[in-house]
Amino acid sequence: MKVVIIGVGLIGGSFAKDVKKLHPEVEIIGVDKSDAHLDEALQLQIIDKKGDYSTLATADLVYLGIPVNVLVTELPKILDAAGDETVVVDAGSTKRLICEQVANHSKRRNFMACHPIAGTEFSGPAAAFEGLYTGKTMIICEVEKTAFKLQEKALAIFQEIGMRIRYMNPEAHDKHIAYVSHLSHISSFMLGKTVIEKEKNERDIFDMAGSGFESTVRLAKSSPDMWTPIFEQNKDNVVETLEEYIQNLTTFKQMILDNDFENVHLEMSNTNKIKQILKGIPLTKK
């Protein structure tokens, strides 16, 4: 089996590690715009050798761990270069625009539009590790547009890794993911911004920061190169979630101003049910 990883950072590199663990005989070829990343991936034994788009014609599976703005422009070229028996899988956090971009491509049947609900705040080859995908959900969009035998090839690997499979349409994916992923990243970035600005005047603020702050602001360490295009591509849904979030913040602020701590307590008590909703979600630890 030959697997090509395009983008050998956290997402692509971790996928490569999981596949290699399951299938030691597999040949992993890395493609990346950064030669330094490829050299590091070779040194870390994430990939077996470097490649380019000419290697796609004989690949069994191509896994795309690249930013969504790059995906939109590169996916048609990748499909052009793919072999008839190659399944091309993306890992983009947005789906509608990506699916639209290749809707009429002659090799649309070779593409499986995916989004693994997995990741950490770190990036680059050194951030990759075995087990990132285990127990996580793989969302697949427009699966009916992927050739059945190519679907089976990708699904078999996902299931071997230990992923749960969920099917959605691209529009529903982008709307829901804006709430459960994109908004949380914005919240983390803005909390970090608020504290950094305050720290200019109060130098000891970080000495007082505990685990609550650390866990809440963790996502602010994520790559702006990856997240800016996500917010751009999912702009309408992100703005809608922000409007609702800002309204909730405004209401909560007003309760405090009004000394209405009975309703402050009630709001938090009602939100405590999130514990049950999130109970089955495994934490990602490297």
Side-chain angles (χ1 to χ4, degrees), residues 23-232:
H23 301 279
E25 77 287 353
V26 71
E27 182 181 32
I28 306 283
I29 299 171
V31 178
D32 199 292
K33 69 175 184 179
S34 168
D35 285 334
H37 274 185
L38 289 174
D39 289 338
E40 187 177 3
L42 274 171
Q43 183 181 4
L44 294 169
Q45 299 183 321
I46 294 171
I47 61 174
D48 297 312
K49 65 180 183 180
K50 300 179 184 180
D52 53 35
Y53 285 4
S54 68
T55 62
L56 305 186
T58 56
D60 293 288
L61 184 144
V62 178
Y63 194 79
L64 311 179
I66 53 181
V68 292
N69 58 325
V70 181
L71 259 171
V72 169
T73 58
E74 291 301 304
L75 182 55
K77 303 173 192 175
I78 291 165
L79 286 175
D80 287 341
D84 290 339
E85 303 303 316
T86 304
V87 58
V88 177
V89 177
D90 84 309
S93 186
T94 60
K95 290 272 78 77
R96 182 186 60 81
L97 188 59
I98 291 165
C99 288
E100 288 177 355
Q101 186 71 4
V102 294
N104 299 314
H105 196 283
S106 61
K107 291 183 181 176
R108 176 63 183 84
R109 63 186 289 280
N110 292 79
F111 174 57
M112 181 178 274
C114 295
H115 178 202
I117 309 302
T120 73
E121 66 272 29
F122 304 109
S123 58
F129 63 99
E130 289 179 7
L132 173 66
Y133 294 94
T134 303
K136 303 299 173 53
T137 299
M138 178 67 86
I139 298 175
I140 303 175
C141 296
E142 298 186 335
V143 68
E144 70 283 356
K145 296 185 179 181
T146 308
F148 185 70
K149 65 179 180 179
L150 299 182
Q151 289 180 33
E152 288 186 313
K153 189 185 296 188
L155 286 169
I157 293 176
F158 299 158
Q159 288 163 352
E160 284 179 319
I161 290 172
M163 302 195 77
R164 300 187 296 263
I165 307 300
R166 175 83 184 269
Y167 299 98
M168 300 182 76
N169 67 60
E171 292 75 19
H173 168 276
D174 286 5
K175 184 176 183 64
H176 294 315
I177 209 69
Y179 282 92
V180 297
S181 175
H182 302 173
L183 180 60
S184 58
H185 279 80
I186 293 171
S187 299
S188 188
F189 277 116
M190 291 303 99
L191 174 59
K193 177 181 186 294
T194 302
V195 173
I196 286 170
E197 289 177 345
K198 186 67 174 176
E199 191 266 347
K200 292 174 184 176
N201 298 318
E202 297 184 21
R203 301 297 303 179
D204 60 349
I205 194 167
F206 285 111
D207 292 334
M208 300 168 63
S211 59
F213 173 77
E214 182 181 9
S215 62
T216 308
V217 83
R218 175 180 65 86
L219 296 177
K221 293 183 270 183
S222 300
S223 167
D225 291 337
M226 182 176 77
W227 279 96
T228 303
I230 290 172
F231 299 147
E232 181 180 8

